[in-house]
Amino acid sequence: MRTVHFALAATAAVGLAACSTTGPANKLLTLDGNPPLVIAHRGASGYLPEQTLEAYARAIELGADVIEMDLVSTKDGVLIARHDPNLAISTDVAKHPRFASRKKTIKVDGETQTGWFSNDFTLAEIKTLGGISTDAERPQEFNGKFKIPTFQEIIDFAKAKSKETGRTIAIYPETKNPTYFRDLGLPMEDKVIAAINAAGWNSKTAPIYVQSFEPGSLKYMKAKGLNTRLIQLIDGDGIDMKTGAMTYAVPVDRPYEWTKAGDKRNFDVMVTPAGLAEIKTYADGIGPWKRYIVSIKGSIGSDGKPLDVNKDGKINDADATSVSPTTLVADAHKAGLFVHPFTFRNESRRLAADYNKDGRNEYAVYYKLGVDGVFTDFTDTAIAARADYLKGLGR
């Protein structure tokens, strides 16, 4: 998933409002009637540098049903697990003097970025780098210690862990910035399909979900014979604290392929009944930013600006409260689509005030609304909240 700008963009809480929409007291409202999946977003990224085998191993130890990764391409066309083409964000590349001359400023999906980019590095060079934490509030002592895995290495790892644990560990790859890489002559879709075929996973029942923010990437893979479950991701930039409305800005305003084609619509068209019906023609589920399901609103001062309610010197989700949920989960289910919202995190700055600084309270709201899975940086919290939820249903 893309990293949403923290200025008013993270979690929501509607405990009481949600309860009225949950139907029979002991009924699961998921599309298939099964408990919601816990999807380890980039691994146990709340604890270890993201998208490393060590982070995935930790997530599995904590009970994750699925491990999630973003795929970008190296210069020599190998798919690796990184959230961004810009290696400065999640690796220690800046500490490698031999690569200093490769630092540059370019545009990625319309956003100007400065750093080092995966498409300028061979796999052998990538393997000399280490992953780092992308959040200053999270542990930093593991920075640089764990290497960047390839897509194939993750497939092999998931298979080995499934055998070792006796439970099926699914994977959830994303074609990241597919238009960017295609324009560089490094398209990734055929390689994703080839790897899935080689793994014996090209079916709806295989332990894999394939996701993208760009519909064209999903449609291409489907047309080329990919039969796995496909997920359309739906993004946004932030929340207007005065109104609770979604805001949009480059690069998370719309699929970049739309921008390139001159299509001015934003991601919000995807959550309408017509948008969901369109998605159903090529995908099996949606992965919306969770604010499309439960938004937040802040307190506004006489100057028209959001108030720093908790007086910590910053305006963020902790200064806001949740509003009543939308009908998106029910609408998607009606269209035959499952719903996997992102991203759930434990940091207090990302939790609306009505969650009382406890992420379990946020999960409870979404579980009651019938989401089919959650993307989380903290697998253990999601698992604990799910256990509480199921216990409350007598399951």
Side-chain angles (χ1 to χ4, degrees):
M1 258 73 293
R2 294 177 183 171
T3 301
V4 177
H5 302 281
F6 298 137
L8 329 186
T11 348
V14 245
L16 294 175
C19 293
S20 64
T21 66
T22 56
N26 64 346
K27 183 182 179 183
L28 281 168
L29 296 183
T30 50
L31 185 62
D32 62 5
N34 290 320
L37 295 170
V38 171
I39 304 158
H41 182 242
R42 312 181 203 171
S45 47
Y47 303 112
L48 294 172
E50 64 188 42
Q51 312 215 50
T52 59
L53 294 184
E54 289 79 4
Y56 291 128
R58 183 65 180 133
I60 292 167
E61 289 171 5
L62 293 172
D65 303 304
V66 189
I67 54 174
E68 188 262 359
M69 68 278 330
D70 308 278
L71 301 179
V72 300
S73 181
T74 65
K75 182 178 182 178
D76 44 350
V78 179
L79 299 179
I80 59 170
R82 285 295 90 187
H83 181 264
D84 307 274
N86 190 344
L87 301 172
I89 297 170
S90 64
T91 80
D92 61 0
V93 64
K95 294 186 176 182
H96 292 251
R98 64 181 284 215
F99 300 133
S101 64
R102 296 192 202 175
K103 188 176 184 180
K104 63 185 183 182
T105 299
I106 64 171
K107 281 196 171 184
V108 179
D109 287 7
E111 179 184 48
T112 300
Q113 297 185 13
T114 297
W116 293 260
F117 297 86
S118 67
N119 45 280
D120 292 327
F121 290 73
T122 64
L123 177 62
E125 291 171 331
I126 292 287
K127 286 295 188 178
T128 68
L129 307 178
I132 63 172
S133 173
T134 58
D135 189 312
E137 285 190 36
R138 296 178 179 179
Q140 304 295 309
E141 63 265 31
F142 305 104
N143 287 354
K145 294 184 178 180
F146 307 139
K147 299 304 180 185
I148 286 78
T150 66
F151 182 36
Q152 186 59 53
E153 287 170 341
I154 294 172
I155 290 172
D156 295 341
F157 176 80
K159 286 190 170 188
K161 281 295 182 181
S162 294
K163 187 173 182 180
E164 175 188 319
T165 62
R167 59 191 180 90
T168 300
I169 307 300
I171 69 169
Y172 211 128
E174 176 187 344
T175 55
K176 198 69 176 186
N177 306 101
T179 293
Y180 168 81
F181 284 107
R182 191 176 302 111
D183 288 348
L184 290 170
L186 294 167
M188 60 181 69
E189 287 84 0
D190 287 331
K191 292 169 185 172
V192 170
I193 295 169
I196 291 171
N197 278 328
W201 282 351
N202 195 5
S203 75
K204 294 290 185 200
T205 57
I208 184 168
Y209 301 77
V210 179
Q211 57 178 333
S212 187
F213 282 103
E214 295 196 20
S217 185
L218 297 174
K219 291 176 181 178
Y220 175 89
M221 290 186 285
K222 184 180 179 71
K224 294 283 277 191
L226 185 62
N227 296 315
T228 64
R229 288 162 288 194
L230 301 176
I231 294 83
Q232 174 64 58
L233 299 172
I234 306 172
D235 217 339
D237 179 68
I239 296 297
D240 182 330
M241 289 285 248
K242 189 173 185 178
T243 66
M246 190 80 61
T247 61
Y248 296 92
V250 173
V252 290
D253 48 354
R254 64 181 65 93
Y256 186 62
E257 61 187 12
W258 288 8
T259 297
K260 195 176 173 186
D263 187 336
K264 303 296 187 184
R265 296 176 300 160
N266 289 329
F267 274 112
D268 57 341
V269 300
M270 292 185 176
V271 301
T272 64
L276 294 169
E278 162 64 17
I279 290 170
K280 181 60 178 172
T281 66
Y282 63 88
D284 305 279
I286 59 171
W289 179 30
K290 62 189 177 186
R291 289 289 171 256
Y292 283 102
I293 299 172
V294 180
S295 191
I296 55 174
K297 287 177 72 171
S299 297
I300 307 301
S302 57
D303 59 359
K305 296 180 179 179
L307 295 175
D308 178 13
V309 177
N310 61 6
K311 303 188 185 306
D312 65 353
K314 301 171 184 176
I315 303 293
N316 51 37
D317 291 7
D319 299 301
T321 53
S322 304
V323 300
S324 295
T326 69
T327 60
L328 179 56
V329 176
D331 291 346
H333 286 174
K334 186 177 180 180
L337 297 164
F338 55 76
V339 184
H340 295 163
F342 65 88
T343 300
F344 292 78
R345 296 170 167 127
N346 284 5
E347 287 86 8
S348 60
R349 74 176 191 271
R350 292 166 160 154
L351 292 169
D354 40 323
Y355 291 135
N356 298 315
K357 299 183 179 181
D358 187 344
R360 290 175 299 178
N361 294 327
E362 181 180 34
Y363 291 105
V365 169
Y366 286 80
Y367 288 155
K368 288 173 184 175
L369 288 171
V371 298
D372 302 280
V374 292
F375 287 92
T376 177
D377 287 359
F378 296 87
T379 295
D380 47 349
T381 309
I383 291 284
R386 183 176 67 180
D388 289 343
Y389 170 59
L390 293 175
K391 184 178 180 182
L393 293 179
R395 291 171 176 258

